Amino acid sequence: MDWGTHVVLSAKLLESCGLEKGSAIYSVIPVIDKEPAHFHRVYAHILANQPEFLDVAMELFGSKEVKARDFDALRKRVEGKVKKLRERLASVNANGLEERRRIENKIYAYQRITEETPTFLQHAEMASQIVGDKDVSRISRHKMSSAVSLLSHIYFDLWNNPVQVFLPSCSYCSAQWEFWDNVDYMKFRSDFYKPESITAFRKEIAQSPVWNCRLKPEALIKALIIRLGELSEPRVPYEMVDLSLRDFMRYMDINKYQRADRELDFCHTLEKTIQEIIYRHYKKPEIHPPKADKSAEGKTS
């Protein structure tokens, strides 16, 4: 999905969870990896990298500089942060690979989120108008709300392109494979994101009754990660999905076992709803085999 649609979908998801809709803006954080080009749709779309990106985004979005829309001051603040992190990175020994990875992720996140913040804020304003709720544009720093929003980006991106969610443990891609088999893909990609088409989709999905439920946020996190594994081809081994789930839950300080049956049912219903809306305009025409010419039956050359 595109930036604006991510924010709209996230806002509705947060509403169904009873969470703070002002966290919908975190759903666009992964787009920072469009630069440099070799990071695009990989670096910030990896589940294992999400904690550092979320920590940095929450810090910056809660800063007095962002609240004042003083982007020059924000850049100066971040320059100091990055300088300290680079000094820390230089002191890490060769065996500290995990620590190096975390510091490098934070440096990248500070720089790129700062560069994109003005655009992020514009999309939050736009989404608040579509959803019809000003709270969407009032940025929240509630961690659970922000985590659900950030994670939703990868989940909804599966309609757009394959995502290697479980790197570095597994390189297999997750995607809405069945949807792509059934949709007129080239027409979908060329027409769906035109302003008139994507605006109509946003409004229709935002008004769908599919959101009229109450989801448990902790269980939804589990359900989203499970679906990311289930939608992979070849199938990501369950133990790798389970490890990613445990790591993310530990980061979120969720220690109790979560039953996610209701939330998984919701995911399936939501996916079906999105499919039905898109299929109305972009489903691939059915190809029927040519009918046999009965007048030629029994004739020989």
Side-chain angles (χ1 to χ4, degrees), residues 5 32 41 43 48 54 64 74 107 135 146-147 167 171 182 198 265 269 299:
T5 308
I32 63 174
R41 289 176 175 158
Y43 192 58
L54 183 57
K64 62 182 182 182
L74 179 64
I107 290 172
D135 285 345
S146 303
L167 285 173
S171 63
N182 292 326
I198 197 64
D265 286 344
T269 303
K299 294 183 180 180

Side-chain angles (χ1 to χ4, degrees), residues 178-209:
E178 182 181 345
F179 165 78
W180 292 356
D181 282 340
N182 292 326
V183 79
D184 186 338
Y185 187 71
M186 298 312 296
K187 181 182 178 184
F188 168 68
R189 288 306 297 259
S190 62
D191 290 354
F192 183 66
Y193 294 103
K194 290 178 178 177
E196 62 274 16
S197 301
I198 197 64
T199 300
F201 172 77
R202 290 171 186 165
K203 289 180 178 178
E204 183 169 0
I205 192 63
Q207 294 168 6
S208 170

Side-chain angles (χ1 to χ4, degrees), residues 126-145:
M126 177 211 65
S128 72
Q129 296 172 18
I130 295 172
V131 176
D133 191 333
K134 256 324 234 190
D135 285 345
V136 175
S137 62
R138 298 187 180 104
I139 301 175
S140 166
R141 294 183 66 247
H142 183 254
K143 188 173 181 179
M144 180 62 73
S145 304

Side-chain angles (χ1 to χ4, degrees), residues 7-39:
V7 180
V8 171
L9 291 168
S10 173
K12 297 302 296 183
L13 197 59
L14 292 169
E15 184 178 355
S16 294
C17 291
L19 293 172
E20 297 182 10
K21 285 174 280 187
S23 286
I25 193 173
Y26 294 88
S27 66
V28 293
I29 295 301
V31 304
I32 63 174
D33 67 17
K34 66 179 183 175
E35 294 179 15
H38 58 274
F39 275 6

Side-chain angles (χ1 to χ4, degrees), residues 250-293:
R250 190 178 303 114
Y251 162 69
M252 291 299 298
D253 198 27
I254 301 171
N255 300 309
K256 292 183 179 179
Y257 176 79
Q258 302 296 320
R259 288 193 63 88
D261 297 0
R262 179 177 53 185
E263 287 69 21
L264 280 167
D265 286 344
F266 165 80
C267 288
H268 286 289
T269 303
L270 176 58
E271 290 164 28
K272 183 179 179 182
T273 302
I274 293 173
Q275 273 187 191
E276 289 173 348
I277 294 172
I278 296 175
Y279 280 168
R280 285 206 303 270
H281 304 285
Y282 302 103
K283 190 164 186 181
K284 188 185 297 180
E286 293 184 15
I287 300 175
H288 299 285
K291 294 182 179 180
D293 184 357

Side-chain angles (χ1 to χ4, degrees), residues 99-139:
E99 186 178 359
R100 290 187 67 86
R101 182 191 68 81
R102 288 187 180 133
I103 296 172
E104 288 169 351
N105 281 352
K106 285 201 168 187
I107 290 172
Y108 179 78
Y110 273 119
Q111 292 175 325
R112 288 292 295 125
I113 292 173
T114 298
E115 291 168 1
E116 297 289 355
T117 290
T119 306
F120 289 157
L121 298 177
Q122 290 173 12
H123 281 289
E125 289 287 348
M126 177 211 65
S128 72
Q129 296 172 18
I130 295 172
V131 176
D133 191 333
K134 256 324 234 190
D135 285 345
V136 175
S137 62
R138 298 187 180 104
I139 301 175

